Amino acid sequence: MFAELQQMRNTPALRTIKHFHDHPGYIAATAQNIRDYWMKHGRPDKLVMSFHGLPQFSLDKGDPTTANARRADA
């Protein structure tokens, strides 16, 4: 992505975030989305959260997504 942006004459301002799974703003926004859904559709007996899968080779190279998802789910 950054290589592509370097080719542009008028690049947009960007800010990258390495980890957000435990950021209070992310947690608050996720919780609010759940509460809003429950208010509209009713609260179920259980809440199931699903995280997308990652290829094993990404995990083998040290991708932290799975570990971060587990911490966020706790």
Side-chain angles (χ1 to χ4, degrees):
M1 175 180 81
F2 290 110
E4 184 68 28
L5 289 171
Q6 287 177 335
Q7 304 303 315
M8 299 172 69
R9 289 187 71 125
N10 186 15
T11 59
L14 294 177
R15 181 174 160 218
T16 61
I17 301 171
K18 186 167 182 152
H19 302 287
F20 62 89
H21 68 281
D22 58 353
H23 188 281
Y26 171 74
I27 294 169
T30 300
Q32 188 60 54
N33 284 339
I34 292 168
R35 285 191 294 271
D36 291 347
Y37 184 88
W38 286 349
M39 288 295 292
K40 186 175 182 179
H41 301 283
R43 187 173 180 156
D45 294 332
K46 294 183 182 198
L47 172 64
V48 177
M49 298 182 75
S50 176
F51 300 96
H52 67 83
L54 287 172
Q56 186 63 48
F57 70 87
S58 294
L59 297 173
D60 293 343
K61 290 183 178 185
D63 189 296
T65 304
T66 299
N68 291 346
R70 287 186 180 131
R71 284 194 293 276
D73 185 39

